Amino acid sequence: MKSSMRYLLPLALFLGVVVFLFKGLSLNPREVPSPLVNKAAPDFDMPQLHNSEARFSKEEMLGKVWLLNVWASWCVSCRQEHPVLMELQRQNILPIYGLNYKDTQQDGIRWLREFGNPYVLSGQDPEGKVGFDYGVYGVPETYLVDKEGIIRHKFIGPVVPDDIEQIIKPMVQELSL
């Protein structure tokens, strides 16, 4: 009896590890629940990227369904996402606002000049304070906000073409009613 337990215990531990690994590998890393979804978007008031004298605040956005995209010139994934945002802007589905996160003003403006500017405007968040309030832990991240200023969806990582058709368009249609 004692000798059979000697072999069964390591086997049980091994099977337990396999189950946890299988479960972990089957999860989508882009689907991280956000405590901000279905809650009021945090307030912000920050300088605009292209005009530091002008401000950009959440109050200006009330009454609109809009997208807030957190991006940076140093972000490799933002380059992957950028053509998708340009296409979304061309389709004129909803206004896209940018939050230039932990970046310099010069680098942010240069990056938009080089790759194109899909944003109505971008706010400048060089120290990441606004990003901290939004729970940003990596860029790009994107928030779909309704007319009342409630966050309805959060994208972690680059927005991809399927996201436009499967998530953004249906949600914008529903939220615009």
Side-chain angles (χ1 to χ4, degrees):
M1 177 78 173
K2 214 173 187 183
S3 67
S4 65
M5 285 298 289
R6 194 166 114 195
Y7 297 108
L8 288 177
L9 185 59
L11 179 62
L13 289 173
F14 174 76
L15 290 174
V17 169
V18 167
V19 168
F20 281 115
L21 286 174
F22 182 75
K23 178 70 176 166
L25 292 173
S26 67
L27 298 175
N28 183 348
R30 294 187 66 206
E31 293 179 7
V32 178
S34 170
L36 294 176
V37 173
N38 294 322
K39 297 203 172 125
D43 290 330
F44 62 82
D45 182 21
M46 60 184 148
Q48 294 182 13
L49 180 65
H50 285 88
N51 179 5
S52 298
E53 303 299 318
R55 308 295 294 178
F56 172 42
S57 70
K58 181 187 135 189
E59 278 67 38
E60 299 169 31
M61 308 311 296
L62 292 176
K64 300 178 186 174
V65 177
W66 58 290
L67 217 54
L68 178 65
N69 176 251
V70 183
W71 66 280
S73 66
W74 47 262
C75 165
V76 175
S77 295
C78 295
R79 288 183 185 219
Q80 175 189 355
E81 176 187 61
H82 202 71
V84 177
L85 295 178
M86 293 298 290
E87 177 58 28
L88 187 60
Q89 186 264 340
R90 270 190 288 278
Q91 292 184 25
N92 199 25
I93 296 168
L94 76 168
I96 307 169
Y97 291 83
L99 190 158
N100 185 234
Y101 181 73
K102 293 186 175 181
D103 206 354
T104 67
Q105 182 182 25
Q106 299 85 353
D107 288 345
I109 290 172
R110 184 176 336 118
W111 197 84
L112 290 176
R113 195 176 302 132
E114 183 177 344
F115 296 106
N117 187 354
Y119 306 111
V120 174
L121 68 86
S122 276
Q124 192 178 353
D125 187 22
E127 296 172 3
K129 291 179 182 175
V130 176
F132 180 79
D133 290 343
Y134 274 75
V136 172
Y137 57 86
V139 287
E141 289 187 11
T142 305
Y143 301 84
L144 179 62
V145 184
D146 73 9
K147 294 176 181 177
E148 286 79 36
I150 307 294
I151 293 175
R152 294 302 179 182
H153 192 82
K154 178 180 180 181
F155 297 90
I156 295 174
V159 173
V160 297
D162 284 349
D163 292 334
I164 293 175
E165 297 301 323
Q166 296 174 4
I167 298 171
I168 294 174
K169 281 183 176 178
M171 287 190 81
V172 168
Q173 193 170 26
E174 180 182 323
L175 295 171
S176 296
L177 297 176

